[in-house]
Amino acid sequence: MDLQDLTLTTFGEALASSAATPGGGCAAALTGALAAGLAAMVARSTAASDRFADRADEMNTVAAEADGLRAELLGLVDADAGAFDQVMAAFRLPKETPEEQAARSEAIQSGYKAAVDPPLRVCTQSVRVLELAAQVAERGNPNAASDAGVAALLAAAALEGAAMNVEINLGSIKDESFRATAADAAQAAREQGQALRDKTLDAVRARIG
């Protein structure tokens, strides 16, 4: 069964178990999905209000995009677990002969490279969720401003957690070019996300303070 199909209780139990997956990367992806859900909720509640009829189309567009991001981030929960399972499978390959050792080493490197992709995608998608959170914080129903703030906090946490998972996997990769490219992408997302988080929280505080 896919992790995203588990109940909250069952997923929480799996996360708390001694198993390697689900782990921090899965939790980061799920956190990003929750952030996208909140952004969609604020947008929909705004679009449904006669008070904000002038921005209903804008908010419906935001909600639709947030729905897509939520679905993708939920998919990355399972993608992250699957990628790490691939790494573990590579470590279990035989290593008795030089040929087996070489094949095992190559499989481990391929596995770690594959394991970088899901959290890196969580980083980039979380930036977009943060952009939507900023939009609904500034343009959405002020009665839901705190929800927009929570969306920003969750998306920022998802981004930072995913970036750390990128970094820990890169530490085992020998391909310097691959490492540099992925590290730069994660850092760029991190910097953009921090600015968006601060912008959104400033807007939220202005509306609730």
Side-chain angles (χ1 to χ4, degrees):
M1 178 182 291
D2 290 342
L3 290 172
Q4 63 180 304
D5 293 329
L6 299 178
T7 65
L8 290 174
T9 298
T10 305
F11 182 87
E13 290 171 348
L15 196 64
S17 75
S18 61
T21 55
C26 297
L30 177 59
T31 300
L34 294 174
L38 277 173
M41 183 268 278
V42 177
R44 285 198 170 90
S45 69
T46 304
S49 173
D50 292 339
R51 179 182 170 191
F52 303 105
D54 62 321
R55 62 195 73 172
D57 288 345
E58 174 191 351
M59 291 294 115
N60 283 325
T61 298
V62 169
E65 183 176 357
D67 286 345
L69 289 164
R70 176 168 53 86
E72 182 169 354
L73 285 157
L74 283 174
L76 288 169
V77 174
D78 285 295
D80 188 271
F84 192 75
D85 288 342
Q86 180 182 336
V87 174
M88 293 298 97
F91 274 103
R92 291 192 292 270
L93 291 172
K95 51 181 178 178
E96 298 301 320
T97 67
E99 292 78 13
E100 288 177 344
Q101 292 169 9
R104 177 177 178 272
S105 178
E106 182 177 351
I108 290 171
Q109 288 297 301
S110 295
Y112 274 120
K113 285 183 176 181
V116 166
D117 182 63
L120 193 55
R121 287 164 61 195
V122 172
C123 288
T124 57
Q125 297 303 75
S126 293
V127 168
R128 184 56 189 152
V129 175
L130 277 159
E131 290 173 339
L132 297 181
Q135 187 174 349
V136 297
E138 294 171 345
R139 299 272 296 160
N141 189 334
N143 292 334
S146 61
D147 298 298
V150 174
L153 290 168
L154 290 176
L159 198 165
E160 184 65 28
M164 285 192 290
N165 275 270
V166 169
E167 290 168 350
I168 197 168
N169 286 318
L170 290 180
S172 299
I173 293 174
K174 299 175 182 179
D175 185 335
E176 292 294 338
S177 176
F178 182 95
R179 289 176 60 178
T181 299
D184 287 349
Q187 184 58 26
R190 182 181 263 152
E191 292 173 0
Q192 188 177 358
Q194 289 170 347
L196 286 164
R197 172 189 178 277
D198 292 344
K199 174 185 176 182
T200 305
L201 294 182
D202 285 345
V204 169
R205 293 187 183 105
R207 304 192 87 182
I208 68 177

